[in-house]
Amino acid sequence: MVGLGPKRKPSRKGSMSDVPKDLLEQIKDLERLFTVDAEKLKKITDHFVSELEKGLTVKGGSIPMNPTWVMSFPTGYETGTYLALDMGGTNLRVCEITLAEEKGEFDITQSKYRMPEELKTGKSEELWEYIADCLQQFIEYHHEDEELETLPLGFTFSYPATQDYIDHGVLQRWTKGFDIEGVEGHDVVPLFEEALAKRGVPIKLTALINDTTGTLIASAYTDDHMKIGCIFGTGCNAAYMENCGSVPKIADMKLDPDLPIAINCEWGAFDNEHKVLPRTQYDIIVDENSPRPGQQAFEKMIAGLYLGEIFRLVLVGLHENPNVDIFPGQNIAKLKKAYTLDSSFLSLIEEFVIPIPKDGTSIRSHLTLTFYRDPFENLTETHELFINRLDIKTTRPELELIRRLAELIGTRAARLSSCGVAAICKKKNIEACHVGADGSVFNKYPHFKARGAQALREILDWPKGKRDPIDIRAAEDGSGVGAALIAALTMKRIQEGNLAGIKNTEDFDQTTTQHWRDEGYDVSYLPWNGGGKQYREKLHHLSDDLDLGEKYALVAYGEAAGGALLVAQKPIGKLCVLVAYYPTILPSSSAASPFPPSLRVLVHLAGSQRVAPKYKSYSYADAEPGFAEHDDENFDKIAAGLAWSRSLDQVRRGFGIEVDLEGAWEGHLAQGERERLTQVVVMLVEFKTKDADATMRTMVPEPYVNHIPTMTGGIGASDLRRFYHDYFIPSNPPSMRMKLISRTIGSDRVVDEMHCSFRHTTEMPWMLPNVPPTNKLVEVALVSVVRIRGGKLCHEHIYWDQASVLVQIGLLDPELGAPGLGKNGVEELPIVGVESARKVLDEEGEESNLLIADW
């Protein structure tokens, strides 16, 4: 007899009834280890906010918070053809992207190339050569026999890098399994461009970006509500738009404080100090065995590269625990191999864990989800997975533990990830927005998005029953389309004359532009573009946006200088100064000046320009046109420096600015006193605190110092810091005394004449290198020439009479003469000792001309 009736619903009492007690206890222990409750999430988020803010300061913090020099969102109407290069942790992708005229539309052609594992720990040259080869193959395949114009390239370089310019980047540290020597601390762009140049590929790098910044911009291209871009993949990161005024580390750029700038957080480094993240013993092992122990603490708990490794370590630990019976009698050699599993392995296990609302309503309408294991679910797939990948046969109880462990690790990763999103929203007071997320973990790991959304609700205490105001959704192609868009935005900025954070422009020398900004001026660039009526009209309208009482100056070069001089013969509203470098045309006039009396005009002429206008001008012998442009082949450092000082003085006078350079210098010395400065001769400082870093903070980023007689000092911040820390600050004798004799002030230079005295009781590498202490008294006259730019020291030359010093410590005797010199030899060397310095103090204290025989 057969009984018919409605099908019974499956029991929902759980599937742990057949799990042995020892495994049940281990599951409970794992739940305690890997579960992060709402209270802990909030604590982590609050600390995250403070670390984000710290990263924006000059001093910085664990999270780098790198300015990217992406300074606007796209409008959706960008057009043109661009290349994009995406260098991820697994693949190298080359794309050609055409931005269409329709809003938010584009066409893409792309090719993928596997990133060989051996390159990740190989030589730097091998990496860049391989990348250049891939680009060349792409161009040859898709544009065979075509004559191509130079294609602008957006390079997605998804590794922590400091960017003073959008088209350059200094690698801070490798991530994603890379560990190539000789790259960290160096600009990656010249290395990349050198490899391209060898192949003659028609490509110009326009923007170096991070994939996260690309994700932000690509998502905003099609979604006006997009505020944050995130990557949850092999690594993890976020980017968002900050106001320039909220980024103290770029305050010296003197940018409009309301101007937006994208910040590449590099938040994988969050909590490297291990203050709040709930690390387990397995997380600690992952960190200790990684290429960079102590770094990327956050990333090592949530990124796809590490989830499988954490899972593997737990299983190995359980197998080796004598109190736990798991995989008994089996060879787990494959499981013991580090990084043999990745997040995709956990994804396969979790694919059969189905989210079901607690009350049985539809998932779509419900806000609180639990992840429920159906007791009748077939675990065959996971069983076969362990056999095929690890040669391990699993029992039903073991499979239950394996599945729960995968859940716990995946859920913890999703919940911790939301702390970063919540932190940015809290910092920026964002109450509602879209967050664009990309990466293999977000896109492919089951339930990652839902788990993260649940964590956001708990952290931000959203009211129940309403739509989530902050929605993390799948992003657009950040490393491809995003890179192309950023290249387009960068080229647009160049055309508009906004060159902040752009180094290599074909239009003008960025270094000079930055020098004017350092002096406190707002700078805009007006391209010549052949001149003509349009250029003249632009000159006349430059003052349109100026307020009452404001003025502006023009500094022009070459053809543009000639054009500006011609236009300026008639009054131009609010123009107070015109500086013209090697103009191709000079207005002629019988009068002293053909210009309005209210306009200050200064002309700098190359030595080859055989003209002499009646108005104020300077000629620079042996210099050619282009001598003042750092990126010109005719750049002449000496002529450019002289012209700069004169131009700066003229511009200041035109604006009515009186810069108290001596006061600024004295202020610098006063600051030194606050830092326990005890002896000062310009930069000859002796700190009780021995603080070389305090010395470097008074200098521009790339200073140089030269002590002329011994050529000691250094070029660049790294060498100078080493010089001050190791060879200068520790070496000055405690008896050293300085007396200022005279001071001469220029537009950007301070020249000090001084009397220096000391007893030679310590070795002094900067003045007497390799000479042991002689205990001799020394007096010497010194002259210091310091150049100041933007309130900071740019360079310094120090001169003294080294022969006089050597005479006084007994290394040189004037009476030795030079018997073999000339017909009769020289009986006495024409040098003096202490008398030289004392005559500087008192011109009548020592007789003059004693070395002249017949005086």
Side-chain angles (χ1 to χ4, degrees):
M1 185 176 74
V2 178
L4 298 177
K7 182 179 179 180
R8 293 179 61 189
K9 292 183 179 180
S11 168
R12 294 287 183 183
K13 293 182 180 179
S15 56
M16 295 292 187
S17 59
D18 57 347
V19 177
K21 184 178 180 180
D22 63 329
L23 291 189
L24 276 175
E25 290 177 353
Q26 290 303 316
I27 289 172
K28 290 178 180 178
D29 286 343
L30 292 172
E31 288 174 342
R32 285 192 291 270
L33 273 179
F34 288 98
T35 299
V36 188
D37 61 23
E39 182 180 353
K40 183 64 173 178
L41 290 176
K42 291 178 180 179
K43 184 177 180 181
I44 293 169
T45 299
D46 289 342
H47 186 59
F48 219 128
V49 173
S50 66
E51 288 299 298
L52 293 174
E53 292 173 344
K54 186 186 295 184
L56 294 173
T57 65
V58 175
K59 186 177 181 180
S62 294
I63 306 178
M65 301 296 283
N66 296 323
T68 64
W69 303 108
V70 177
M71 305 188 76
S72 67
F73 280 116
T75 63
Y77 294 102
E78 289 74 15
T79 59
T81 299
Y82 305 87
L83 289 181
L85 171 65
D86 176 19
M87 179 182 160
T90 306
N91 296 312
L92 189 71
R93 183 166 63 116
V94 182
C95 310
E96 183 176 338
I97 295 154
T98 300
L99 303 176
E101 293 183 358
E102 294 79 11
K103 189 177 190 297
E105 296 293 326
F106 60 88
D107 294 318
I108 183 169
T109 302
Q110 59 183 321
S111 297
K112 279 189 176 182
Y113 306 86
R114 186 74 180 172
M115 180 66 75
E117 285 297 319
E118 59 270 20
L119 285 183
K120 294 185 178 182
T121 54
K123 295 181 179 180
S124 169
E125 303 80 36
E126 294 172 346
L127 173 67
W128 304 117
E129 295 286 338
Y130 176 74
I131 294 172
D133 282 341
C134 293
L135 280 166
Q136 185 176 29
Q137 290 176 29
F138 182 89
I139 293 294
E140 290 176 350
Y141 181 80
H142 293 286
H143 297 281
E144 186 177 4
D145 299 328
E146 290 184 38
E147 287 290 332
L148 290 178
E149 294 184 359
T150 301
L151 291 169
L153 170 72
F155 183 0
T156 304
F157 185 74
S158 306
Y159 306 87
T162 302
Q163 287 190 264
D164 292 329
Y165 306 97
I166 196 169
D167 47 355
H168 281 256
V170 176
L171 178 67
Q172 294 171 339
R173 60 183 175 276
W174 283 115
T175 57
K176 303 179 185 178
F178 278 86
D179 192 21
I180 301 173
E181 291 185 2
V183 184
E184 290 183 350
H186 294 277
D187 188 347
V188 300
V189 172
L191 304 171
F192 170 66
E193 288 182 331
E194 182 180 350
L196 284 180
K198 288 180 181 178
R199 289 155 179 77
V201 184
I203 294 172
K204 174 178 172 55
L205 188 143
T206 303
L208 184 76
I209 73 162
N210 184 276
D211 57 352
T212 320
T213 311
T215 296
L216 171 64
I217 297 302
S219 299
Y221 185 58
T222 57
D223 185 345
D224 294 336
H225 299 288
M226 196 64 59
K227 300 295 183 186
I228 302 171
C230 293
I231 297 292
F232 303 117
T234 308
C236 67
N237 196 12
Y240 72 101
M241 280 290 179
E242 188 58 85
N243 299 322
C244 288
S246 300
V247 189
K249 65 171 66 177
I250 62 170
D252 59 332
M253 295 287 290
K254 298 178 176 62
L255 300 172
D256 181 345
D258 295 326
L259 199 66
I261 184 168
I263 298 296
N264 167 29
C265 298
E266 293 297 348
W267 71 14
F270 168 63
D271 201 34
N272 281 347
E273 303 83 3
H274 310 313
K275 292 182 178 180
V276 294
L277 287 176
R279 295 204 308 164
T280 68
Q281 64 264 42
Y282 307 108
D283 298 304
I284 293 171
I285 294 171
V286 166
D287 180 41
E288 290 176 346
N289 293 338
S290 69
R292 301 300 169 89
Q295 298 182 18
Q296 301 299 102
F298 189 55
E299 181 172 282
K300 288 171 183 173
M301 296 179 73
I302 71 171
L305 180 63
Y306 304 101
L307 298 185
E309 180 65 2
I310 296 170
F311 177 83
R312 184 192 71 82
L313 287 170
V314 174
L315 291 182
V316 170
L318 291 175
H319 175 76
E320 295 177 347
N321 186 339
N323 298 319
V324 180
D325 191 21
I326 186 170
F327 313 143
Q330 297 194 60
N331 181 356
I332 66 164
K334 289 187 176 180
L335 184 63
K336 285 188 173 182
K337 183 179 178 182
Y339 291 94
T340 193
L341 307 178
D342 58 18
S343 60
S344 65
F345 191 88
L346 276 69
S347 297
L348 290 172
I349 296 171
E350 283 223 69
E351 278 182 357
F352 307 103
V353 181
I354 305 172
I356 300 177
K358 290 180 178 179
D359 59 6
T361 58
S362 70
I363 294 174
R364 192 168 187 176
S365 64
H366 206 83
L367 292 176
T368 304
L369 301 179
T370 57
F371 295 85
Y372 191 88
R373 292 182 303 277
D374 189 327
F376 295 96
E377 180 187 313
N378 190 345
L379 293 171
T380 303
E381 291 83 355
T382 304
H383 178 79
E384 292 178 352
L385 185 65
F386 266 69
I387 292 176
N388 295 334
R389 292 281 296 274
L390 301 170
D391 291 336
I392 295 175
K393 294 181 179 179
T394 52
T395 65
R396 172 76 181 222
E398 290 169 348
L399 289 171
E400 290 289 352
L401 181 145
I402 287 167
R403 185 169 52 183
R404 182 60 176 143
L405 175 60
E407 274 184 9
L408 289 168
I409 293 172
T411 300
R412 185 186 72 160
R415 289 173 68 81
L416 289 177
S417 297
S418 291
C419 292
V421 176
I424 292 176
C425 292
K426 291 183 74 172
K427 182 189 182 304
K428 294 295 293 178
N429 296 317
I430 298 173
E431 295 183 356
C433 75
H434 293 163
V435 178
D438 201 358
S440 57
V441 173
F442 182 84
N443 292 325
K444 298 179 181 179
Y445 200 101
H447 326 306
F448 186 90
K449 178 182 178 181
R451 290 164 174 167
Q454 175 61 34
L456 269 181
R457 296 183 198 108
E458 296 173 24
I459 296 168
L460 299 175
D461 293 319
W462 291 332
K464 295 181 179 180
K466 293 185 178 180
R467 183 182 295 274
D468 293 351
I470 297 172
D471 183 11
I472 305 177
R473 52 180 56 188
E476 295 294 337
D477 177 12
S479 54
V481 177
L485 282 166
I486 291 172
L489 292 172
T490 302
M491 294 183 69
K492 182 181 178 182
R493 281 212 290 128
I494 293 173
Q495 293 167 1
E496 293 174 347
N498 179 6
L499 303 182
I502 302 174
K503 186 171 186 179
N504 292 337
T505 69
E506 295 180 355
D507 301 284
F508 191 64
D509 169 25
Q510 183 66 47
T511 303
T512 298
T513 304
Q514 186 58 48
H515 287 177
W516 283 111
R517 288 195 177 98
D518 290 342
E519 293 296 339
Y521 297 98
D522 291 329
V523 182
S524 296
Y525 173 60
L526 178 62
W528 170 244
N529 291 338
K533 181 179 179 181
Q534 187 178 14
Y535 180 75
R536 293 194 297 271
E537 288 179 351
K538 286 183 178 180
L539 287 180
H540 280 286
H541 287 284
L542 287 175
S543 63
D544 289 355
D545 295 330
L546 297 181
D547 293 332
L548 183 66
E550 289 187 326
K551 297 183 286 188
Y552 73 98
L554 277 177
V555 182
Y557 298 76
E559 288 182 302
L565 286 171
L566 291 176
V567 174
Q569 292 181 90
K570 294 182 179 180
I572 300 178
K574 299 186 177 183
L575 177 64
C576 62
V577 178
L578 171 56
V579 179
Y581 282 83
Y582 28 88
T584 54
I585 299 174
L586 279 171
S588 58
S589 174
S590 57
S593 171
F595 307 105
S598 60
L599 179 64
R600 290 178 173 271
V601 176
L602 173 63
V603 177
H604 300 294
L605 298 169
S608 58
Q609 292 179 289
R610 304 294 183 182
V611 290
K614 294 182 180 180
Y615 38 92
K616 192 168 187 177
S617 65
Y618 295 94
S619 181
Y620 300 84
D622 301 324
E624 296 294 331
F627 71 78
E629 296 169 65
H630 294 72
D631 54 358
D632 193 284
E633 62 180 6
N634 290 323
F635 176 67
D636 185 319
K637 185 176 181 180
I638 294 175
L642 285 169
W644 166 262
S645 298
R646 290 163 173 164
S647 297
L648 180 62
D649 177 67
Q650 192 78 339
V651 169
R652 283 176 178 166
R653 291 175 185 271
F655 279 100
I657 297 174
E658 293 186 9
V659 176
D660 183 7
L661 209 60
E662 183 171 18
W665 178 240
E666 292 293 347
H668 164 78
L669 299 185
Q671 174 65 26
E673 288 291 339
R674 288 191 289 273
E675 292 175 342
R676 300 187 182 183
L677 178 65
T678 59
Q679 305 289 341
V680 182
V681 178
V682 190
M683 285 311 298
L684 302 181
V685 291
E686 171 73 8
F687 287 102
K688 287 181 180 177
T689 55
K690 307 296 182 186
D691 191 350
D693 290 327
T695 303
M696 298 310 301
R697 284 196 294 271
T698 67
M699 294 182 159
V700 298
E702 287 297 317
Y704 86 89
V705 170
N706 186 13
H707 299 141
I708 306 300
T710 54
M711 295 196 301
T712 53
I715 301 175
S718 178
D719 281 356
L720 272 181
R721 189 194 179 283
R722 180 187 174 202
F723 170 73
Y724 281 119
H725 185 272
D726 297 340
Y727 300 101
F728 185 84
I729 291 175
S731 72
N732 288 330
S735 58
M736 180 172 281
R737 297 292 181 269
M738 301 290 179
K739 185 172 183 178
L740 184 64
I741 305 300
S742 70
R743 173 168 289 170
T744 305
I745 310 294
S747 59
D748 62 344
R749 284 170 172 78
V750 177
V751 180
D752 282 350
E753 180 187 20
M754 296 160 289
H755 178 274
C756 172
S757 64
F758 60 90
R759 182 176 290 277
H760 185 213
T761 55
T762 61
E763 185 173 340
M764 301 170 65
W766 65 273
M767 179 177 271
L768 293 164
N770 305 316
V771 177
T774 62
N775 204 37
K776 300 284 189 179
L777 286 172
V778 175
E779 296 180 43
V780 62
L782 292 91
V783 174
S784 168
V785 183
V786 173
R787 182 179 176 186
I788 298 174
R789 188 175 74 235
K792 291 192 173 185
L793 275 75
C794 177
H795 72 237
E796 177 186 22
H797 293 164
I798 297 180
Y799 303 79
W800 68 85
D801 181 358
Q802 184 73 342
S804 171
V805 175
L806 297 179
V807 167
Q808 293 177 69
I809 65 171
L811 281 186
L812 188 59
D813 185 354
E815 295 184 359
L816 289 178
L821 185 63
K823 184 177 180 181
N824 300 319
V826 176
E827 294 183 4
E828 186 173 343
L829 298 176
I831 56 177
V832 296
V834 71
E835 301 85 1
S836 173
R838 290 179 178 173
K839 192 170 181 61
V840 172
L841 288 174
D842 181 2
E843 65 271 20
E844 296 183 354
E846 302 288 341
E847 290 188 45
S848 300
N849 302 323
L850 291 180
L851 295 179
I852 300 177
D854 58 353
W855 181 259

